[in-house]
Amino acid sequence: MPKQKDHDPAKRPRRLHLVLGDQLDPQSAALADLDPDRDAVWMAETHAEATHVWCHKLRLIVFFSAMRHFRDELTDKGITVHYHELTTAPSKDRGKDFAEVLIKDAKKLKPQSLVVTQPGDFRVDDMLEQAADELDLELDVRDDEHFFNTPDQFAEWADGKKDLVQEMFYRRMRKRDHILLTKDGKPVGGDWNYDADNRETFGKSGPPSIRKRPHNFRPDDTTKNVIDMIEKRFADHPGNTNHFDYPVTRAEALTYLRDFVEHRLADFGPYEDAMWTDAPFLYHSRLSQALNMKLLNPRECIEKAIDAYENNNAPLQSVEGFVRQLIGWREFIRGVYFHQGRGYLKRNALGNDPDADVPSFYWDGDTDMACVKDVMQSVINHAWAHHIPRLMVTGLLATLLGVHPRKFHDWHMAMYVDAIDWASAPNTIGMASYGDGGVVGTKPYAASGNYINKMSNYCKNCRYHPKHATGDTACPFTTLYWDFLDRHRDAFKSNARMAFQVKNIDRKRQTGEIKQIRKQAKQLKQHMLGKANASA
Ligand code: SF4
């Protein structure tokens, strides 16, 4: 049937369906009722998205390449896609941010309304609302069905609770959606959580040979074009692009999932907290990028993991740990993000200096701390590190130094390939920095170099000693740990979970040992923070 001229989506779409870079799912709510004969899709790469934080080149490549592949998939299905590509010439941009480009395009296309799946970033949400207001168009914001909960469902659970405890939320999810439950509603295996079994470390010989991730995703022409553009236009951005191996299509993401379940899931649980020099991936899935861009659905990941358990290909402790990451932590932190609202990004419960930024080695890895150097190598090469280096190396050091939570958040958003605001903010401002004063974690994740020594081989190759708090060989983590407890002793004294640490710092105060620690910590902070601020 010939298309009616008024409804030719290439000329005047009825509805313009907006697809953001982290919404690459053809089944998404925004695309559910798209009629290719009457509606069109709108997507845009914008300079503002690439620069609102000093984005890692690999992160830009993965997003823009996956978006261009998604555009081509939709186009192949006969859907009209109005797509704004960044080029090496900034003068050719249609605008600097989503709002500007959308307003220009919508004025030309004259749709009757705009549709979008709920953005996972308040900043983007605000921009789209502003654009719709200026265009005087209805913006139909639909719940993101990729997740197991809507923000309202989370609020229903959270409202009235004194503390939001992830474990309680997780158990409720298991029960509500009947995941890893017996027929009579009990947890499979008898326990809800096998975390206590999942803190193995490697012996002196280190991890055994681990099958590498599939490296058959060599950049195709689309990705090569994006790499070329990024290397030219954003040449001064951090990160290395030589190690590109991320999935940028759903088919590739499914291959990554299958490879993880077959080759690494079994050992994921026991070693999920372990770290080892030059082995950034270990048994981790590294699926967070594909999940957060919606190339994968968490339900299919859970299904495949449970299949592996039921077919005796992976033990319960690994499968339960993986499931907990997806329906426990992932859903919980997204719920916290929307429940806490826009003000969450400004939280600074410990009163850190607003100008205290991450040290310069958070961008280039130039440090003599063996642990930080190794983690930063992974971040620079892969825009990725697993949850323990994120929380207990880079997150811990930033917290002990007194980096402002928002500055740490911005760094995290810039450097990790899987960082989306909803996923990052509760991890950075909440869990790592304790900037939210205890919403995500009931106590700060404060530890000395001893924790890193226990979970890795880093300290054996380091010029510092994890037990030394003062002197030339003092581990910066250990010095700063005592200094952190000393500075915040009064804030923590009534927290029952901090009682042991408060007692220890009181002992250091009584013996006078704290004086030398304070002096050394001050020098460290001046050296690390001063350097960062000087280069900012
Ligand atoms: Fe890191 Fe301290 Fe261990 Fe060195 S001694 S690797 S700085 S924890």
Side-chain angles (χ1 to χ4, degrees), residues 368-372 393 448-453 456-467 473-478:
D368 58 4
M369 287 181 275
C371 54
V372 180
V393 179
S448 69
N450 287 328
Y451 173 83
I452 294 171
N453 189 32
S456 74
N457 67 335
Y458 290 141
C459 303
K460 290 190 177 56
N461 307 312
C462 187
R463 78 176 274 298
Y464 302 111
H465 194 294
K467 288 199 186 312
T473 55
C475 164
F477 282 86
T478 303

Side-chain angles (χ1 to χ4, degrees), residues 7-148:
H7 287 147
D8 181 346
K11 292 184 178 148
R12 187 176 179 198
R14 176 186 57 168
R15 287 191 301 241
L16 204 50
H17 295 250
L18 318 181
V19 175
L20 306 173
D22 63 338
Q23 298 179 343
L24 307 182
D25 175 8
Q27 314 296 327
S28 73
L31 300 179
D33 54 354
L34 181 143
D35 177 350
D37 289 335
R38 307 181 74 192
D39 305 319
V41 166
W42 179 88
M43 300 175 75
E45 299 165 14
T46 70
H47 188 82
E49 286 310 298
T51 56
H52 79 279
V53 287
W54 195 35
C55 255
H56 196 299
K57 286 183 203 162
L58 210 46
R59 176 177 156 79
L60 295 176
I61 292 164
V62 171
F63 268 84
F64 294 161
S65 172
M67 287 169 70
R68 291 181 189 190
H69 281 93
F70 189 71
R71 167 200 61 194
D72 296 344
E73 276 170 37
L74 294 181
T75 307
D76 287 348
K77 287 181 189 162
I79 295 169
T80 301
V81 183
H82 298 280
Y83 190 100
H84 176 69
E85 255 184 31
L86 285 186
T87 67
T88 52
S91 58
K92 290 194 181 149
D93 292 356
R94 272 183 71 72
K96 64 179 186 315
D97 60 29
F98 282 134
E100 212 174 300
V101 182
L102 177 59
I103 288 167
K104 278 187 189 159
D105 284 353
K107 279 184 177 165
K108 203 173 88 190
L109 294 166
K110 297 188 173 47
Q112 291 166 23
S113 66
L114 307 172
V115 181
V116 72
T117 301
Q118 182 169 39
D121 185 330
F122 292 127
R123 183 183 54 85
V124 176
D125 197 21
D126 292 344
M127 257 193 276
L128 297 180
E129 292 284 355
Q130 174 208 327
D133 274 358
E134 193 169 327
L135 291 161
D136 198 21
L137 283 176
E138 180 207 349
L139 176 64
D140 177 5
V141 182
R142 298 176 178 175
D143 282 333
D144 192 341
E145 291 161 2
H146 168 93
F147 295 96
F148 287 76

Side-chain angles (χ1 to χ4, degrees), residues 286-304:
R286 216 160 55 124
L287 290 168
S288 49
Q289 165 262 336
L291 276 161
N292 289 357
M293 295 178 85
K294 320 288 162 60
L295 297 174
L296 286 177
N297 189 293
R299 291 163 192 83
E300 65 196 343
C301 299
I302 288 170
E303 203 177 297
K304 293 266 182 304

Side-chain angles (χ1 to χ4, degrees), residues 29 36 103 113 115 158 161 191 290 360 391 402 411 452 454 461 473 485 497 533:
I103 288 167
S113 66
V115 181
K161 286 191 171 55
D191 289 317
S360 61
L391 182 65
W411 172 81
I452 294 171
K454 192 174 119 203
N461 307 312
T473 55
L485 290 180
R497 294 192 66 209
N533 293 335

